[in-house]
Amino acid sequence: MPNDDAAGRLAAIHSTIAYGCKLAGRDASDVTLIAVSKMHDADAIRPLIAAGQRVFGENRVQEAADKWPALREETAGIALHLVGQLQSNKAADAVALFDAIHSVDRPSLVSALARAMDAQDRRLPCFVQVNIGDEPQKGGCPVADLPALLSDARAANLPVVGLMCVPPADLEPAPYFALLAKIARDEGLGQLSMGMSGDLETAVRIGATHVRVGTALFGARA
Ligand SMILES: *Cc1c(COP(=O)(O)O)cnc(C)c1O
């Protein structure tokens, strides 16, 4: 995709978000667009920053640590969200680098993140990733284990603000988004990280507060 079209791609995503919000009677300002820049280098990211995008997502701590400190020196006000699986031994690095974590999925990670946040005196909003389609190969907390994990998080004083999911590929995503929204409501959690390039309008219609969009903004990944 040509770099000079970054503003156009960004505008197209914003109008999709606005349309989904209109269908649902929601305010578009309640939806945060996370531009997922994994596997794209600084030259691919800069045009999007120039077009006004400030919230980015990465799925690996090391890749983010390699790319973002320099980009953040060029432009103030960038927020970085971790959207990929996190190993407990990288929790401290993640807390230092990111502004939100979308992939809390197990008790050992709850304690590692809580310890790192205490040590750095830095509290990041966290989403618990739910394996909403109950897929054996997929990351995320099983639905049945969620109440126990949320109670661990409360006990550890980890700031959990919402739930995140990646629905099963090749199936209609709406029922999975609706199920995640219901579980979040039952648990008293206000934020929903759901919706990617192929299903963001559906996700917004069903209540997403954070959509994670890579391909539609950056083109296909290598
Ligand atoms: C890569 C990724 C995305 C972005 O996916 P696209 O289909 O490229 O928009 C969103 N969420 C997570 C967790 C990802 O790993």
Side-chain angles (χ1 to χ4, degrees):
M1 290 193 186
N3 282 348
D4 59 5
D5 199 28
R9 282 178 264 132
L10 192 56
I13 299 297
H14 278 300
S15 67
T16 302
I17 292 172
Y19 182 65
C21 282
K22 188 174 168 223
L23 292 177
R26 302 181 59 205
D27 191 325
S29 66
D30 291 339
V31 180
T32 298
L33 169 60
I34 303 169
V36 179
S37 50
K38 66 186 184 200
M39 297 176 73
H40 293 286
D41 62 15
D43 288 341
I45 294 169
R46 277 192 197 95
L48 221 54
I49 296 175
Q53 179 65 22
R54 290 294 179 272
V55 184
F56 289 85
E58 291 283 347
N59 71 333
R60 293 176 58 229
V61 176
Q62 190 54 55
E63 181 182 345
D66 290 342
K67 285 191 320 209
W68 281 98
L71 284 165
R72 281 175 146 165
E73 290 214 341
E74 295 170 16
T75 307
I78 301 250
L80 212 50
H81 291 228
L82 179 65
V83 301
Q85 279 197 0
L86 178 59
Q87 294 169 268
S88 296
N89 64 5
K90 301 246 174 76
D93 291 343
V95 167
L97 182 62
F98 288 91
D99 301 291
I101 310 273
H102 291 241
S103 47
V104 178
D105 61 357
R106 59 194 189 278
S108 59
L109 186 57
V110 164
S111 27
L113 282 169
R115 247 182 288 120
M117 289 187 200
D118 287 344
Q120 297 177 39
D121 196 17
R122 186 174 148 72
R123 310 219 80 79
L124 277 57
C126 292
F127 295 79
V128 171
Q129 181 175 353
V130 179
N131 186 354
I132 199 72
D134 197 19
E135 297 172 281
Q137 81 286 6
K138 203 162 249 172
C141 173
V143 173
D145 297 351
L146 186 64
L149 189 62
L150 288 173
S151 118
D152 283 356
R154 274 187 294 271
N157 201 21
L158 192 77
V160 174
V161 297
L163 302 179
M164 178 273 218
C165 78
V166 179
D170 308 321
L171 287 179
E172 162 61 43
Y176 297 98
F177 292 154
L179 179 57
L180 193 76
K182 181 201 184 298
I183 296 170
R185 204 164 45 236
D186 290 349
E187 295 289 351
L189 296 168
Q191 305 202 31
L192 288 169
S193 170
M194 59 187 198
M196 312 185 355
S197 292
D199 55 20
L200 80 132
E201 182 192 309
T202 302
V204 166
R205 199 162 45 72
I206 296 172
T209 60
H210 294 71
V211 292
R212 312 177 308 267
V213 178
T215 309
L217 286 170
F218 292 101
R221 290 176 288 273

